[in-house]
């Protein structure tokens, strides 16, 4: 029987979806840590720092060039600092559901446009249609309401633009992937996130086993695992595909909320989730293969 190899594009989509699943743990674990007294700035700083320290211990003896650090520094600025700082600021002004929808929509739209400009990956009509269906699905899924504050939406938009730019810049600069790349990203992420951490009072966790276990889990799953899968996806697929499939993150977060927080979804959750899946299917029709390598 003939053997059919999985294409790089398909592998990239799988890594992007896995990254979304790993990032979906952030909500459940962060909620637990916030209830213990930590701020979002503290959580983001410590999960990056702990992730960097873990990889510093695991990876030894690898020669790293100045160029590699420069690439990681630029990418981490957009993919970690801009994303986190403006996302956190947005939550202080606008409803969480509206922030998530705005951020994810702008991340994907910016990836579409910047990919077109910088790597020649022109979006097809079916891709735009798929994105529109996904955004409508997310709006239904999240239960968004009428915006209450323009400032919050602007901050969420900037956060989304930063994350969308991250995937395109990483692709254009040939950031690479692997644990060494992830370590460099978390190094610069820790440095950048130290500023909001200090400005928000430098609140540290208590010495309870539960708090440090949650932080270690955040470091291992979304920080190390999430960035590892995302950078692998960037190598294999287009930034547009990656951002589209990372739109599934709220779906995984909702599943984890059911399992660990007993927060059971309503009809809108199922309907919105179904629309997101349909939108992803539509978006993949006639996706250009020549840009996936």
């Amino acid at each position: 029987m003939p053997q059919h190899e999985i294409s790089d594009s398909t592998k990239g989509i799988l890594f992007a979806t896995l990254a979304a699943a790993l990032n979906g743990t952030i909500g459940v674990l962060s909620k637990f840590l916030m209830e213990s007294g930590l701020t979002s700035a503290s959580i983001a700083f410590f999960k990056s720092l702990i992730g960097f320290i873990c990889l510093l211990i695991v990876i030894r003896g690898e020669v790293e060039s100045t160029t590699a650090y420069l690439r990681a520094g630029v990418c981490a600025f957009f993919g970690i600092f801009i994303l986190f700082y403006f996302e956190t600021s947005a939550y202080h002004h606008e409803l969480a559901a509206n922030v998530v929808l705005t951020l994810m929509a702008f991340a994907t739209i910016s990836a579409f446009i910047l990919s077109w400009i910088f790597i020649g990956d022109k979006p097809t009509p079916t891709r735009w249609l798929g994105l529109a269906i996904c955004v409508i699905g997310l709006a239904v899924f999240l239960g968004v309401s009428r915006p209450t504050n323009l400032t919050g939406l602007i901050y969420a938009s900037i956060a989304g633009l930063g994350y969308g730019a991250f995937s395109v810049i990483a692709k254009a600069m040939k950031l690479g992937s692997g644990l060494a790349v992830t370590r460099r990203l978390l190094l610069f992420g820790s440095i950048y996130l130290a500023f909001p951490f200090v400005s928000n009072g430098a609140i540290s966790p208590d010495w309870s086993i539960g708090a440090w276990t949650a932080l270690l889990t955040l470091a291992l799953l979304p920080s190390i695992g999430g960035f590892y899968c995302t950078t692998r996806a960037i190598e294999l697929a287009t930034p547009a595909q990656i951002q589209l499939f990372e739109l599934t993150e709220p779906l995984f977060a909702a599943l984890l909320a059911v399992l660990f927080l007993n927060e059971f979804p309503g009809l809108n959750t199922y309907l919105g989730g179904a629309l997101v899946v349909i939108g992803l299917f539509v978006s993949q029709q006639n996706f250009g293969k020549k840009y996936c390598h």
Side-chain angles (χ1 to χ4, degrees):
M1 295 179 65
Q3 293 184 342
H4 300 284
E5 291 189 3
I6 300 176
S7 67
D8 283 351
S9 178
T10 302
K11 291 177 184 176
I13 288 171
L14 291 174
F15 274 112
T17 305
L18 182 55
L22 292 169
N23 291 334
T25 63
I26 294 174
V28 172
L29 293 169
S30 295
K31 186 172 182 177
F32 168 77
L33 288 166
M34 286 180 182
E35 289 174 352
S36 70
L38 282 182
T39 63
S40 55
S42 298
I43 295 169
F45 170 71
F46 278 108
K47 73 178 184 181
S48 295
L49 180 61
I50 294 171
F52 167 69
I53 293 172
C54 288
L55 292 179
L56 192 64
I57 295 170
V58 172
I59 304 173
R60 293 177 175 274
E62 182 170 330
V63 178
E64 299 176 310
S65 66
T66 303
T67 303
Y69 277 98
L70 176 62
R71 291 170 179 167
V74 172
C75 292
F77 178 77
F78 287 96
I80 297 180
F81 178 72
I82 294 294
L83 171 64
F84 163 74
Y85 181 79
F86 285 99
E87 180 183 12
T88 303
S89 300
Y91 285 126
H92 290 302
H93 297 277
E94 184 53 83
L95 298 173
N98 294 348
V99 170
V100 172
L101 178 67
T102 304
L103 188 159
M104 301 195 81
F106 270 81
T108 310
I109 292 170
S110 62
F112 274 32
I113 295 172
L114 293 174
S115 293
W116 185 3
I117 295 172
F118 291 105
I119 62 177
D121 183 19
K122 183 177 180 180
T124 61
T126 52
R127 208 185 304 180
W128 284 113
L129 175 61
L131 172 59
I133 296 172
C134 284
V135 171
I136 294 171
L138 276 180
V140 174
F141 181 90
L142 295 167
V144 299
S145 57
R146 184 176 179 179
T148 60
N149 190 295
L150 181 60
T151 301
L153 294 185
I154 292 174
Y155 284 153
S157 301
I158 295 173
L161 290 172
Y163 193 59
F166 161 73
S167 58
V168 177
I169 292 170
K171 185 84 170 180
M173 294 184 72
K174 294 181 171 57
L175 175 66
S177 64
L179 292 179
V181 171
T182 304
R183 182 179 64 181
R184 289 192 289 269
L185 288 172
L186 293 178
L187 166 63
F188 283 101
S190 301
I191 294 170
Y192 296 145
L193 293 174
F195 292 96
F197 168 65
V198 172
S199 66
N200 280 272
I203 299 174
S204 300
D206 56 33
W207 291 103
S208 68
I209 295 176
W212 286 101
T213 300
L215 282 171
L216 180 60
T217 305
L218 278 173
L220 294 176
L221 297 184
S223 292
I224 295 176
F227 273 110
Y228 175 84
C229 290
T230 296
T231 52
R232 284 290 291 141
I234 289 170
E235 277 192 320
L236 297 166
T238 71
Q241 285 177 308
I242 295 162
Q243 291 299 333
L244 277 166
F245 278 85
E246 289 201 356
L247 290 175
T248 58
E249 180 184 329
L251 279 64
F252 288 109
L255 177 60
L256 290 172
V258 171
L259 295 175
F260 296 103
L261 300 178
N262 292 320
E263 295 180 357
F264 292 96
L267 179 61
N268 65 307
T269 303
Y270 294 107
L271 177 59
L275 285 172
V276 170
V277 173
I278 292 170
L280 291 174
F281 176 78
V282 171
S283 71
Q284 297 309 296
Q285 307 307 306
N286 301 319
F287 221 112
K289 296 181 179 179
K290 66 178 180 178
Y291 303 107
C292 299
H293 299 282

